[in-house]
Amino acid sequence: MAQTKPIIEIVNVVASATIEQRLDLDDITKKFPDVEYHPEQFPGAVFRLNNPKTATLLFGSGKMVCTGSKSEEMAVKAVNTVVQKLRKGKIKIKNNPTVTVQNIVSSINLGGKVSLEQAARTLPRSMYEPEQFPGLIHRMLDPKTVILIFASGKLVCVGARKEDEILRSVNLIHSELEQKNLMAYD
């Protein structure tokens, strides 16, 4: 039984979306002066929202990438808000966006210290090269996530596409660290 309950915080949800039609980015920047667009540097325009606080990249192909949200629902809301604002600004958009979560990044505190040297020797699919990077990189198969484990007991989980995959990943790695006596508590 785990001695502590992990504290999990979602720090970023990356979602892609499409409206299945072309977008005229020059027209959008004329109608929305706050939208950043520098085609000589990057082919997408950046549409920032304050609520929810996100940035959505718009591409001429009609594809979008939304970053900065803290939940799956917030990512969907942000993309829908951007499309709504574009429509209000007289940008013709026929379809509602199809949104797909691509990656959820979360930060976790296990509440104890982790012996990284021992963990590197006992956890399969792990890589630890302290002169390159201070954390152990652990690849999980199911759910398919990557967990960065630090000696402080802090983790970063990336690659999840659903929030429950984070919970499963964290609970699995936490109980594995516990069972193999790789955790120390003050």
Side-chain angles (χ1 to χ4, degrees):
M1 187 65 207
Q3 293 199 11
T4 58
K5 187 171 175 8
I7 299 163
I8 301 171
E9 179 193 359
I10 293 175
V11 292
N12 189 16
V13 176
V14 179
S16 63
T18 182
I19 51 168
E20 293 171 10
Q21 74 179 61
R22 298 210 50 84
L23 285 173
D24 182 342
L25 299 181
D26 290 316
D27 189 31
I28 290 171
T29 51
K30 281 185 193 109
K31 292 176 178 170
F32 295 90
D34 290 348
V35 170
E36 294 169 42
Y37 183 45
H38 307 286
E40 63 287 346
Q41 291 170 1
F42 184 73
V46 184
F47 197 119
R48 294 181 199 286
L49 293 177
N50 287 325
N51 188 19
K53 191 163 176 50
T54 55
T56 301
L57 299 174
L58 308 175
F59 296 95
S61 64
K63 293 197 184 314
M64 302 176 193
V65 177
C66 175
T67 64
S69 68
K70 306 288 185 216
S71 70
E72 296 173 59
E73 296 78 29
M74 192 191 286
V76 172
K77 180 183 178 209
V79 171
N80 285 324
T81 301
V82 167
V83 169
Q84 209 174 4
K85 285 181 181 280
L86 290 172
R87 284 178 175 149
K88 274 192 184 145
K90 305 270 187 281
I91 305 290
K92 286 192 178 14
I93 296 177
K94 297 185 291 281
N95 302 315
N96 287 327
T98 307
V99 183
T100 309
V101 171
Q102 299 296 338
N103 185 14
I104 302 175
V105 180
S106 57
S107 108
I108 299 102
N109 186 344
L110 295 180
K113 307 268 182 265
V114 179
S115 167
L116 295 183
E117 292 286 340
Q118 274 182 287
R121 289 193 291 274
T122 50
L123 293 176
R125 297 173 313 284
S126 292
M127 192 172 83
Y128 180 52
E129 293 177 22
E131 43 305 314
Q132 304 284 322
F133 181 70
L136 178 144
I137 301 166
H138 178 69
R139 297 183 186 285
M140 298 198 85
L141 297 176
D142 183 30
K144 197 171 180 349
T145 57
V146 174
I147 299 182
L148 308 177
I149 305 171
F150 298 93
S152 64
K154 302 251 186 350
L155 313 178
V156 174
C157 178
V158 299
R161 288 175 175 241
K162 298 230 167 278
E163 291 174 24
D164 71 307
E165 290 177 3
I166 294 165
L167 294 173
R168 283 187 22 232
S169 295
V170 170
N171 290 331
L172 283 167
I173 195 67
H174 191 209
S175 55
E176 197 166 357
L177 291 169
E178 291 269 342
Q179 286 164 2
K180 295 182 175 175
N181 290 320
L182 300 169
M183 295 281 312
Y185 300 97
D186 295 336

